[in-house]
Amino acid sequence: MDTGRGTLVAGWVVLAAGLLTVVASLGALRLNYGMADVRGESMAPAYRLGDDVVYARVDGDEVRRGDVVLFSMPDRYPGGGLVMQRVIGVGGDRIVCCEGEGSARRLTVNGRTSEEPYVKDGDANGSVPQRYDVRVPQGRLFLLGDHRLNARDSRFFADDHGGTVPAEAVRGRVTEDRLGVVLLAGATLFGLLLAIAGLIGVLAGRTRRRRSAEFDTELWPAHF
């Protein structure tokens, strides 16, 4: 095999490997993660207006109490966008509000006082005066915003399954662990560089073969 042909074949192999790597890593990134921007103050102070968040795409039955989830429920929240709230209760839990008075008020989950350090100003129920006692149906979630004074959450939809949200409405769980995203982004960049190197190899191989053909023609001129 001549040098030009070898370079050409190697270039095509490297180019194909690079493109496959890009497609696979981008596919995995899209399949497993998403990004969203915070469009309100209902999850302050942890998440404020304009913040970008990364979420892992998970099923609703994978989330646990304390997780921050993104879900879609256009019948309740018109506009079709994703809504971000925190999981307070899962199927079978009993959520009661509230124990104590004023800023000392606390929710109870299954009879135990729930400490919520993420709640803005330590206010467990905001300006909502009524008490509530909800048994979360199986396959549903009880969700609240962290800024209870400024969140339209499960408390406001008591007539609809106690305000709970179907687990299948969940689109993802907010994550602070960016390692998976970084690794997949790095693999995408590596694949892109590999593809560029392969393309250079293909072009170089074609150039060498063309020059080799021209050289052979000069050495062995055609006879008529």
Side-chain angles (χ1 to χ4, degrees):
M1 182 183 293
D2 63 81
T3 305
R5 181 174 175 79
T7 302
L8 184 62
V9 171
W12 279 116
V13 171
V14 173
L15 176 60
L19 291 177
L20 285 174
T21 301
V22 170
V23 171
S25 55
L26 282 178
L29 192 60
R30 183 175 179 81
L31 182 65
N32 292 288
Y33 297 96
M35 289 192 67
D37 59 297
V38 179
R39 299 183 179 180
E41 293 288 346
S42 65
M43 289 299 294
Y47 305 95
R48 296 187 178 278
L49 179 66
D51 285 351
D52 292 322
V53 297
V54 174
Y55 60 92
R57 299 185 191 277
V58 298
D59 293 329
D61 57 5
E62 297 179 57
V63 302
R64 300 292 181 264
R65 297 185 209 100
D67 287 345
V68 176
V69 298
L70 291 164
F71 65 97
S72 175
M73 204 170 177
D75 292 342
R76 185 177 291 185
Y77 301 96
L82 295 178
V83 181
M84 185 166 68
Q85 292 175 1
R86 192 179 295 273
V87 179
I88 304 301
V90 299
D93 286 344
R94 182 185 178 189
I95 314 297
V96 178
C97 179
C98 287
E99 181 182 272
E101 298 295 334
S103 61
R105 288 187 300 178
R106 296 290 184 272
L107 302 180
T108 63
V109 179
N110 300 325
R112 296 183 178 181
T113 300
S114 178
E115 296 299 329
E116 300 182 283
Y118 43 78
V119 170
K120 184 173 175 59
D121 300 327
D123 190 347
N125 206 36
S127 61
V128 179
Q130 70 268 26
R131 300 173 64 85
Y132 53 85
D133 186 338
V134 177
R135 177 71 69 175
V136 182
Q138 292 297 331
R140 299 185 73 91
L141 305 168
F142 189 84
L143 306 173
L144 296 177
D146 288 354
H147 189 350
R148 303 284 159 81
L149 188 63
N150 191 32
R152 188 168 175 79
D153 46 36
S154 288
R155 297 170 296 168
F156 293 86
F157 303 95
D159 293 337
D160 181 9
H161 298 82
T164 59
V165 170
E168 62 265 24
V170 172
R171 297 293 176 265
R173 174 175 53 210
V174 175
T175 178
E176 302 300 330
D177 183 4
R178 308 293 175 88
L179 180 60
V181 176
V182 171
L183 290 176
L184 288 172
T188 302
L189 179 59
F190 173 75
L192 184 59
L193 294 175
L194 202 63
I196 292 173
L199 181 59
I200 293 172
V202 169
L203 295 175
R206 286 182 172 177
T207 300
R208 287 182 180 180
R209 295 199 71 187
R210 184 173 63 251
R211 289 178 177 174
S212 178
E214 292 172 352
F215 180 72
D216 289 343
T217 301
E218 292 174 359
L219 289 178
W220 303 96
H223 295 281
F224 297 96

